[in-house]
Amino acid sequence: MASGTDRNPIIIGGLPSQVPDFDPEETQEWLDSLDAAVDERGRERARYLMLRLIERAREKRVAVPEMRSTDYVNTIATKDEPFFPGDEEIERKVLNATRWNAAVMVSRAQRPGIGVGGHIATFASSASLYDVGFNHFFRGKDEGDGGDQIFFQGHASPGIYARAFLLDRLTETQLDAFRQEKSKFPNGLSSYPHPRLMPDFWEFPTVSMGLGPLGAIYQARMNRYMEARGIADTSTSHVWAYLGDGEMDEPESLGQLSIAAREGLDNLTFVVNCNLQRLDGPVRGNGKVIQELESQFRGAGWNVIKLVWDRSWDPLLAQDRTGILVNKLNTTPDGQFQTYATETGAYIREHFFGDDQRLRDMVKDMSDEQILHLGRGGHDHKKVYAAYAAAKAHKGQPTVILAQTVKGWTLGPNFEGRNATHQMKKLTAEDLKRFRDRLHIPIADKDLEDGAPPYYHPGRDSEEIQYMHDRRQSLGGYVPSRVVRAKPLVLPEEKTYAAAKKGSGQQSIATTMAFVRVLKDLMRDKEIGKRFVLIAPDEYRTFGMDAFFPSAKIYNPLGQQYEAVDRDLLLAYKESPTGQMLHDGISEAGCTASLIAAGSAYATHGEPLIPVYVFYSMFGFQRTGDQFWQMADQLSRGFVLGATAGRTTLTGEGLQHADGHSQLLASTNPGCVSYDPAFGYEIAHIVQDGLRRMYGGTPEENEDVFYYLTVYNEPIQHPAEPENVDADGILKGIYRYKTGEHGSIPAQIMASGVAVPWAVEAQEILADEWNVKADVWSATSWNELRREAVECEEHNLLHPEEEIRVPYVTRKLDSAEGPFVAVSDWMRSVPDQISRWVPGAYTSLGADGFGFADTRGAARRFFHIDAQSIVLATLSELAKAGKIDRSALKQAVDRYRLLDVTAADPGAAGGDA
């Protein structure tokens, strides 16, 4: 296979339709040779010769088009397999013990009174794929670097636990606490790979299908990025992703293959466990999923290694001179192969080999038992080793290994290849006996007939266990293992934030630009400046971040091999192999994967990175919300900027861009600290606190959270930081921004983000026209206020003997005389989160419903969240309390024409940043 640098990605079909023939006689000689081969030796021989010519052409670096798929046989010929360096007999014993303990652990988890579930069949099919990796390829972290990064298939976790048990990394007590994380604390084992639940064991959460392959691609890319920028030596790190063939139907699994090929990520290997079966049935019953995947990966520019058959097929394939056997393999659908996995040797003889005399002759000297054990390649250690070695040796392209297996392999006839295998969680006594006999596990019948089946350990001094330890020591330590070695960062001094705290003077800027100004000053810091990783989905200019192009530059491992169309401009587009900015194209999923990889670099490689991901607010928690959960699961840190936030602020874009609910979605993520700031000085305090919490302490002190800030594209004049500003209130979620100066009837207006200026305008109208003295509060985080209040309630519930804790929002507003009116550019559910803890009458205004394209003023009048609507809401609450006459309400409606959207001031236009 030619390397990625030798391939010509421009020629698609490869036919020379526009190339003149300068030597037609020579051409005719070649064509005559092909005709002769077909006439004299047959089509199969001619096909073989053509394939060999293509192979030789690639060896000679002749750019020839690739085939979309190849025969349904192993890519690596038997003669090309390398020497297998392991002791296959010992490795078989190790694997058998692992298989037994994995199945028994899940089965024991179904004992009376427990029944917590689990999965047996996935690991049973992929056990050899993992075992070869553990014994010969997966690098640990003992040498001080990041080792290899392994994305384990989620449902295979019992097998990983079972192996760790043999190595004394886990105890029998812990295996019996599988899926009982609280009731068996601290011994509980999580259902699937989960760093937050097992932070010293798992590195990558993968059970949300599709996110594993996506994360692996961007982890490999992040490794290259860190090395290119001189942050960490990742040259020996290899990323392995173990996936299911059914999982490849998830759009995230295949959606970003091109970037791995485009950037030549030969530090990445996908291992797709093709057991031909989804959760409830065949992946491609009428088709061939391995052939389909081969075409997709080849088309995307990957190196493909098919591992279809084990060594028992080698003699049969060697005698297939006519190609009849290969043709039978090519044309038999996956659903039929699944049937063969559940049938007898006699059935296979009749139905697979029986319809052609040439096939029958091939197996005439084989017994039915031998035919039954013609196996799948993913269960053959030597074949797996050959595939892995070839993947590691291949340069210029990422590699995918398509390994055929049988789901439930070795578990017996009730499990192997059955459609219901994925849901089967318990082995009967007869199942256990058959399983024991097949694995040669020395456990007596009586131990399998009464009570829970026992685990098996061959003994700490046995040759099997010593072999396992020796292999891991030679490969740099035990995996999986998550190690945090990162040292505290020296954070910037207070003066770094001075510019943001001065305000914008007479200039009107959006909060997006206010954040960018803070970021620019931080990136100048000599201690942490280089650790910032800027990420955006093709929107840097929209967010005003093109100012970073000349200095930070855009990361591209190939540099910039063209003259940029805007090269004469001061802020020209500039790519560099050492660029700091990740410009991942129009792919929020790809950008979020970069964010996660960068945000966990402090653990993966012991070098903290500070990712700053800026995106259209609507396309974050709504579009890629599952990945933000993945980020929290992986203990990643960093800053997430939902720019162009709000349902009415992004003028003219309309429904699909009008975000009025991301703050509510963010509130559901326990790892997310979210804010909706109004001014530059608030942003400065929030960012400074985020750096302190995430990066400023020791590994034990740093918090495993990420910060989410919603910022807007509406230009306003930012005030300077008030003297004696309530910085604690900014960080905890609310502070009094502006005290009412006129009027005699008290009221309180609470606003967040872009709504704070509306609240100030309403404050002035109330004072001038209605004798109402309203204070304006900036609610920088409705979510954090609620989170703290819930914590107080939970403490009070469980500790009735202790002094009652009062939520911060209640204490903060306790001396303020209501009513309280809350407003934001979000749906009402966002400010309503704190309603129960506000000490007085409370109402909220919000942009509930679908967004639409119009002026900002018209949209705000439609949703009744503009300044005049805030006035009406305040008067309405005062009327309810008997503090003003209700006739004032109709007067306000008529005076401000609140039922007429055209009466509203259109508001500021433009301001994309």
Side-chain angles (χ1 to χ4, degrees):
M1 181 64 66
S3 71
T5 56
D6 300 329
R7 296 170 61 251
N8 187 342
I10 306 302
I11 298 175
I12 305 301
L15 297 178
S17 58
Q18 301 297 319
V19 180
D21 189 346
F22 292 107
D23 193 342
E25 292 184 6
E26 181 185 29
T27 303
Q28 190 60 47
E29 290 176 4
W30 281 90
L31 295 176
D32 290 344
S33 297
L34 175 61
D35 291 343
V38 174
D39 294 340
E40 296 175 17
R41 304 295 300 277
R43 290 187 177 88
E44 286 300 324
R45 177 61 180 169
R47 179 177 182 273
Y48 176 81
L49 292 173
M50 290 296 298
L51 293 175
R52 289 303 303 271
L53 284 172
I54 291 173
E55 182 181 42
R56 179 55 57 87
R58 289 178 182 153
E59 291 173 0
K60 297 292 186 180
R61 299 195 175 190
V62 177
V64 294
E66 290 195 9
M67 294 171 292
R68 286 182 297 175
S69 65
T70 59
D71 287 327
Y72 199 59
V73 295
N74 296 342
T75 300
I76 301 172
T78 304
K79 65 181 179 61
D80 296 327
E81 291 174 5
F83 170 74
F84 179 69
D87 186 319
E88 196 167 9
E89 178 60 23
I90 292 180
E91 291 190 17
R92 183 189 62 79
K93 292 179 179 179
V94 167
L95 184 56
N96 286 351
T98 305
R99 285 182 180 279
W100 175 266
N101 291 329
V104 165
M105 178 179 66
V106 176
S107 191
R108 285 167 68 107
Q110 316 318 311
R111 56 194 181 274
I114 303 297
V116 292
H119 298 283
I120 298 177
T122 295
F123 177 73
S125 66
S126 57
S128 294
L129 300 176
Y130 287 115
D131 207 50
V132 172
F134 279 119
N135 289 330
H136 302 286
F137 290 94
F138 300 158
R139 291 182 58 254
K141 299 175 181 289
D142 286 358
E143 295 178 9
D145 61 7
D148 285 354
Q149 289 82 57
I150 306 150
F151 289 71
F152 294 94
Q153 193 178 4
H155 292 123
S157 60
I160 313 306
Y161 292 141
R163 196 175 212 279
F165 166 70
L166 294 176
L167 289 167
D168 283 336
R169 300 185 64 209
L170 296 175
T171 65
E172 185 172 323
T173 299
Q174 288 174 295
L175 295 193
D176 274 346
F178 176 59
R179 293 192 168 198
Q180 300 159 74
E181 297 167 60
K182 300 302 180 185
S183 60
K184 299 291 185 179
F185 182 83
N187 294 309
L189 299 181
S190 63
S191 305
Y192 305 118
H194 208 308
R196 186 168 288 274
L197 298 174
M198 296 178 66
D200 298 325
F201 193 86
W202 296 115
E203 279 196 283
F204 306 105
T206 53
V207 80
S208 189
M209 290 189 178
L211 298 191
L214 180 66
I217 289 172
Y218 282 87
Q219 182 62 59
R221 197 272 198 104
M222 185 57 60
N223 290 357
R224 290 286 171 82
Y225 171 89
M226 294 181 71
E227 184 175 8
R229 295 196 51 226
I231 293 174
D233 181 3
T234 62
S235 58
T236 58
S237 289
H238 198 86
V239 178
W240 302 83
Y242 285 81
L243 319 166
D245 48 358
E247 180 181 6
M248 302 313 289
D249 285 341
E250 291 284 4
E252 297 89 347
S253 297
L254 299 174
Q256 292 297 301
L257 297 184
S258 59
I259 190 174
R262 188 166 64 244
E263 299 197 5
L265 298 180
D266 50 26
N267 60 338
L268 171 66
T269 298
F270 276 15
V271 181
V272 184
N273 175 23
C274 298
N275 57 35
L276 313 184
Q277 191 170 321
R278 293 182 282 110
L279 305 187
D280 292 318
V283 179
R284 297 288 185 274
N286 293 324
K288 299 180 81 66
V289 70
I290 289 180
Q291 302 298 85
E292 179 182 319
L293 291 173
E294 179 184 23
S295 298
Q296 291 173 316
F297 278 92
R298 282 188 186 277
W302 284 54
N303 175 44
V304 179
I305 298 175
K306 292 200 299 192
L307 174 57
V308 189
W309 308 113
D310 73 6
R311 70 192 76 174
S312 64
W313 286 88
D314 290 347
L316 295 179
L317 290 166
Q319 60 179 292
D320 185 28
R321 297 185 178 277
T322 64
I324 186 65
L325 177 57
V326 170
N327 181 67
K328 184 68 174 180
L329 296 173
N330 286 342
T331 56
T332 302
D334 285 353
Q336 190 62 43
F337 276 125
Q338 286 300 84
T339 299
Y340 293 146
T342 67
E343 287 291 348
T344 64
Y347 179 94
I348 298 170
R349 183 190 298 275
E350 176 184 355
H351 290 84
F352 183 81
F353 294 100
D355 59 358
D356 190 289
Q357 185 60 48
R358 290 168 293 180
L359 292 173
R360 291 194 294 271
D361 288 345
M362 283 186 180
V363 296
K364 65 182 180 180
D365 295 328
M366 295 178 66
S367 66
D368 288 348
E369 186 72 12
Q370 288 174 314
I371 291 177
L372 179 64
H373 289 99
L374 288 170
R376 313 287 170 93
H379 303 309
D380 187 324
H381 272 50
K382 287 186 177 180
K383 300 284 188 183
V384 174
Y385 180 88
Y388 286 10
K392 286 292 296 291
H394 188 79
K395 301 301 179 185
Q397 292 172 285
T399 293
V400 60
I401 297 171
L402 303 174
Q404 185 172 215
T405 66
V406 175
K407 196 162 189 176
W409 182 243
T410 72
L411 290 174
N414 292 331
F415 284 80
E416 289 181 350
R418 301 292 177 181
N419 282 340
T421 293
H422 191 79
Q423 283 73 32
M424 298 170 71
K425 309 177 186 308
K426 189 174 180 63
L427 293 93
T428 66
E430 289 306 309
D431 289 332
L432 287 165
K433 290 176 183 178
R434 282 193 293 264
F435 188 37
R436 173 205 60 190
D437 293 343
R438 186 163 182 177
L439 300 180
H440 305 287
I441 302 296
I443 294 177
D445 282 356
K446 62 181 180 62
D447 295 326
L448 302 177
E449 293 167 351
D450 298 317
Y455 297 112
Y456 170 65
H457 197 296
R460 290 179 175 82
D461 297 328
S462 66
E463 64 174 354
E464 299 99 296
I465 302 304
Q466 289 305 310
Y467 182 90
M468 294 175 73
H469 286 295
D470 290 344
R471 295 309 307 142
R472 290 315 315 156
Q473 289 171 10
S474 69
L475 288 166
Y478 300 96
V479 291
S481 181
R482 183 176 178 274
V483 180
V484 180
R485 298 191 180 100
K487 297 178 181 179
L489 297 181
V490 178
L491 299 183
E493 299 177 359
E494 237 4 271
K495 63 182 181 181
T496 307
Y497 304 94
K501 295 179 179 180
K502 290 179 180 178
S504 64
Q506 296 302 308
Q507 182 184 12
S508 292
I509 65 170
T511 47
T512 301
M513 185 55 67
F515 174 83
V516 169
R517 290 183 175 182
V518 172
L519 178 61
K520 191 172 185 178
D521 289 336
L522 287 169
M523 289 179 65
R524 291 190 179 117
D525 184 83
K526 64 180 181 180
E527 296 290 342
I528 70 166
K530 70 174 184 178
R531 296 188 180 274
F532 282 92
V533 180
L534 276 53
I535 307 168
D538 203 30
E539 293 286 355
Y540 277 123
R541 293 190 191 277
T542 299
F543 305 137
M545 299 177 71
D546 47 348
F548 293 108
F549 288 168
S551 55
K553 299 183 179 62
I554 298 156
Y555 171 72
N556 188 322
L558 300 178
Q560 187 164 313
Q561 301 177 358
Y562 60 92
E563 286 188 326
V565 67
D566 59 357
R567 61 189 180 280
D568 295 330
L569 300 180
L570 179 62
L571 304 181
Y573 195 87
K574 185 63 178 175
E575 298 180 78
S576 168
T578 59
Q580 194 165 357
M581 307 171 75
L582 293 178
H583 210 201
D584 285 343
I586 305 176
S587 172
E588 284 82 8
C591 290
T592 311
S594 286
L595 164 73
I596 295 168
S600 55
Y602 73 93
T604 309
H605 293 293
E607 291 288 349
L609 294 177
I610 308 172
V612 177
Y613 172 35
V614 191
F615 55 92
Y616 263 58
S617 179
M618 187 71 156
F619 306 142
F621 276 86
Q622 173 170 302
R623 178 171 290 183
T624 57
D626 196 13
Q627 286 180 277
F628 287 123
W629 275 93
Q630 182 188 20
M631 183 176 186
D633 291 344
Q634 198 165 311
L635 312 182
S636 292
R637 304 164 184 166
F639 292 95
V640 175
L641 273 294
T644 61
R647 185 145 283 163
T648 69
T649 305
L650 186 55
T651 310
E653 291 287 348
L655 187 155
Q656 291 89 351
H657 290 69
D659 181 15
H661 53 282
S662 286
Q663 280 287 346
L664 195 64
L665 297 175
S667 72
T668 65
N669 190 317
C672 176
V673 181
S674 60
Y675 287 93
D676 188 31
F679 305 120
Y681 69 83
E682 294 178 355
I683 292 172
H685 281 282
I686 292 166
V687 170
Q688 185 177 19
D689 185 61
L691 289 173
R692 177 190 63 80
R693 290 178 64 180
M694 294 185 288
Y695 299 98
T698 64
E700 295 74 25
E701 294 169 335
N702 288 334
E703 297 182 48
D704 297 317
V705 296
F706 66 94
Y707 271 54
Y708 172 56
L709 282 69
T710 44
V711 289
Y712 301 81
N713 74 325
E714 183 170 4
I716 63 170
Q717 290 183 5
H718 289 245
E721 178 179 283
E723 189 175 353
N724 300 320
V725 67
D726 182 3
D728 188 55
I730 291 174
L731 300 179
K732 290 186 175 177
I734 192 168
Y735 72 102
R736 196 191 312 260
Y737 167 64
K738 190 171 184 180
T739 303
E741 297 177 354
H742 307 290
S744 61
I745 306 172
Q748 312 297 321
I749 304 173
M750 305 157 64
S752 70
V754 76
V756 173
W758 319 337
V760 172
E761 183 182 352
Q763 179 190 51
E764 295 169 355
I765 296 172
L766 285 165
D768 294 343
E769 301 181 24
W770 303 97
N771 192 33
V772 175
K773 183 179 182 180
D775 293 344
V776 173
W777 299 75
S778 177
T780 53
S781 181
W782 309 101
N783 293 355
E784 289 304 296
L785 290 174
R786 179 188 183 277
R787 182 172 290 169
E788 189 270 347
V790 168
E791 291 172 356
C792 287
E793 284 198 345
E794 182 177 22
H795 179 271
N796 294 339
L797 176 68
L798 299 175
H799 302 89
E801 76 285 359
E802 296 184 13
E803 182 180 354
I804 293 177
R805 293 183 181 177
V806 180
Y808 180 83
V809 63
T810 306
R811 289 183 279 119
K812 200 70 176 175
L813 300 176
D814 189 52
S815 60
E817 186 174 351
F820 298 86
V821 176
V823 63
S824 72
D825 206 9
W826 305 98
M827 59 194 302
R828 293 172 67 172
S829 298
V830 175
D832 281 353
Q833 292 180 94
I834 67 167
S835 61
R836 62 188 291 177
W837 299 289
V838 174
Y842 182 87
T843 191
S844 65
L845 302 174
D848 287 69
F850 291 110
F852 52 86
D854 211 314
T855 66
R856 290 180 175 125
R860 288 161 188 169
R861 178 58 55 88
F862 175 83
F863 286 117
H864 307 301
I865 56 176
D866 60 357
Q868 291 76 16
S869 298
I870 297 171
V871 169
L872 177 62
T874 305
L875 296 176
S876 180
E877 289 302 306
L878 289 170
K880 288 179 184 177
K883 296 182 179 180
I884 65 169
D885 191 273
R886 286 192 59 81
S887 63
L889 306 183
K890 183 65 166 64
Q891 295 176 35
V893 171
D894 294 340
R895 181 182 302 179
Y896 306 126
R897 298 169 59 191
L898 292 177
L899 300 179
D900 181 4
V901 297
T902 65
D905 182 341
D912 286 340

